[in-house]
Amino acid sequence: MAKQVSIAVVGSGYVGLVAAACFAEMGHRVICVDNDDAKVTMLREGGIPIHEEYLPQLLGKQRQNMVEFTTDLRAATQAAEAIFIAVGTPQSRAGSADLSFVDAVASEIARSIDSYKVIVEKSTVPVYTNEWIRRVIERNGVPKDMFDVTSNPEFLREGTAVVDFLHADRIVIGTATERAAEVLRRIYEPLTSGEYYRSGSAVPGPRGEDDPPPILQTSTKAAEIIKHASNAFLATKISFINIVANICEAAGADVEEVARGMGMDTRIGPKFLRAGIGYGGSCFPKDVAAFRHVAEQVGVEFGLLQEVEKINEEQKLRFFQKVRSALWTFRGKKIGVLGLAFKGGTDDIRESPALDIVQRLLHEGCIVSAYDPAAEQRAKDVIPSSKQMIYVADPYAAAQDADALLILNDWREFAELDFKRLHHTLRYPIIIDGRNMFDPTTMSSLGFTYLSVGRPGSSQPQDPIPTYYLPRQREAAKR
Ligand code: NAD
């Protein structure tokens, strides 16, 4: 039996709350800290502030004994052997990571330390942050032998966060001392030894008793760079396939076939080769910008990342132009929208390309009726409901009398739409799919005008001016 560790997790967001629930599931005692009173009250009363598969089950099971919620960081620090910092590291105006939340937490931990603690960076932070945390704690008068600062970056994806955590590809531990490494190894032992998967009640996933996640022990700096470089690389893969999609579209090839062919090469792999409307979310945009900033700071030119960002911006615009090319004019048209979160499976709308496109449509005078299985509440904080922006309870209500239906994220339930019903519901049977969820041939045989990304027939002719306008324009040109 792996030994229990008492853990404090600071920050009860997508990462902190999932980490807390999973550590408890692995047999540890966890105190989850947040400075948002409303969130802590909600969690104490059995509510869950985010949408994440398996999280309600795990918290339901562990809440009574293994996880508690508090706003008291001091008490949590004193009760814990390891303190994970999982607060936000948003993008600053300059593009770098804003580390003020991490700084505030580090200072408060320093003021509370009363015995040896392992402080773990779980937030995504630039290289050298570990050094800074150490300095902040020392400046607060804590002796060097009372603490270690380690880095344990998190690689989970929203939507599959619990499975990703418990069935990780790898567990990276960046540490300068064996004392801290031993604590972290103990924390993850239920996974790395395979014990968790033998338990019979494990959350199902790709890992198992015979194939547990490996631990990679590195320097703290390497661990920090592994996280930034991994996210920047995945964003690069997405922008790469999006540009390839644009080439396919121009050449009359199918990007899905191309991506399949590329992905079968084990050196490339099939993941993150899905053409669409660009990446979003709370991680890729800010982490690409932060990593570019890190490169600048250390005197390395990383123009590639600038190009990745530019392609991503243009991809949203390109999709928007596709909608325009299908509808000609926008003002007063009703557009059905499926998907508001930055991807399916989550309620997170931070940097969502879907919301970006909805905002452009509203700006052009469209009426939008939108459906998302989980993101409606959060979307309403950004775009309140109005006569122009209508939130509806199912995909068919979104499509009702609409001039076109846009698919902007990839919730599984969108793949199971009843197309006959949809055809009757829409005013015009036009579907513009930003996530390539359907087969173009099937869609056209069902009677839809179907436009998608990087596939033959996936855009209307670029010049949408009807021919009857042309003579008059010619006359005007002569004059
Ligand atoms: P989040 O915004 O969902 O949650 C952060 C939480 O920290 C909030 O609940 C906030 O109230 C709390 N907080 C802020 N300051 C605090 C303080 N001083 N004391 C206590 N609590 C405080 O953020 P998130 O998405 O969970 O991301 C956290 C970190 O993890 C970021 O660095 C992010 O880049 C990284 N990360 C995120 C993901 C993801 O998919 N969301 C994946 C991997 C890594």
Side-chain angles (χ1 to χ4, degrees), residues 22 36 43 59 67 74 93 104 106 164 175-176 225 304 324 413:
C22 291
D36 179 338
L43 283 160
L59 284 176
V67 192
R74 185 183 179 80
R93 277 199 181 172
D164 289 347
T175 169
I225 295 175
L304 174 65
R324 190 194 288 279
E413 71 169 85

Side-chain angles (χ1 to χ4, degrees), residues 1-7 26-29 81 182-183 185-190 195:
M1 265 281 277
K3 281 204 198 119
Q4 193 182 71
V5 181
S6 55
I7 295 173
M26 287 152 63
H28 303 301
R29 285 199 64 89
E81 191 175 350
E182 185 278 323
V183 175
R185 279 199 300 267
R186 206 160 9 107
I187 290 174
Y188 284 105
E189 201 187 324
E195 183 191 319

Side-chain angles (χ1 to χ4, degrees), residues 10-17 33-36 39 50 73 85-90 101 104-105 108 122-125 154-158 227 231 282-283 286-287 342 348 350:
V10 190
S12 313
Y14 287 87
V15 168
L17 193 56
V33 188
D34 208 285
N35 63 354
D36 179 338
K39 201 179 256 188
I50 57 169
L73 177 55
I85 303 178
V87 296
T89 48
F101 298 132
V105 170
E108 210 177 329
K122 193 111 187 102
S123 298
T124 301
V125 290
E154 183 48 60
F155 301 99
L156 62 77
R157 295 160 298 175
E158 287 176 23
K227 175 61 193 178
N231 271 7
S282 67
C283 292
K286 81 164 171 64
D287 291 347
F342 81 94
D348 198 345
R350 290 177 284 185

Side-chain angles (χ1 to χ4, degrees), residues 9 34 61 68 75 91 163 259 286 318 357 422 430 449 464:
V9 178
D34 208 285
K61 197 160 60 159
E68 52 183 298
Q91 190 172 332
V163 174
K286 81 164 171 64
R318 206 181 151 90
I357 287 159
L422 214 51
I430 301 173
T449 297

Side-chain angles (χ1 to χ4, degrees), residues 84-227:
F84 285 75
I85 303 178
V87 296
T89 48
Q91 190 172 332
S92 74
R93 277 199 181 172
S96 58
D98 174 352
L99 298 172
S100 52
F101 298 132
V102 175
D103 187 354
V105 170
S107 305
E108 210 177 329
I109 291 172
R111 290 192 289 271
S112 314
I113 288 180
D114 59 349
S115 60
Y116 174 75
K117 307 287 171 194
V118 177
I119 296 152
V120 192
E121 293 172 342
K122 193 111 187 102
S123 298
T124 301
V125 290
V127 64
Y128 290 121
T129 304
N130 198 287
E131 300 276 335
W132 270 109
I133 296 177
R134 183 188 313 278
R135 238 180 267 177
V136 165
I137 295 177
E138 276 178 16
R139 272 183 198 163
N140 277 277
V142 182
K144 277 188 172 62
D145 62 350
M146 286 276 276
F147 74 100
D148 276 304
V149 186
T150 63
S151 170
N152 171 221
E154 183 48 60
F155 301 99
L156 62 77
R157 295 160 298 175
E158 287 176 23
T160 51
V162 169
V163 174
D164 289 347
F165 193 100
L166 293 170
H167 295 263
D169 285 343
R170 77 295 206 194
I171 294 159
V172 175
I173 291 175
T175 169
T177 71
E178 186 43 37
R179 191 178 183 189
E182 185 278 323
V183 175
L184 280 165
R185 279 199 300 267
R186 206 160 9 107
I187 290 174
Y188 284 105
E189 201 187 324
L191 303 183
T192 55
S193 67
E195 183 191 319
Y196 172 67
Y197 311 104
R198 279 193 293 275
S199 68
S201 60
V203 168
R207 290 290 181 190
E209 187 181 345
D210 302 328
D211 182 28
I215 279 206
L216 175 67
Q217 195 172 323
T218 66
S219 70
T220 55
K221 285 181 191 158
E224 290 166 332
I225 295 175
I226 285 171
K227 175 61 193 178

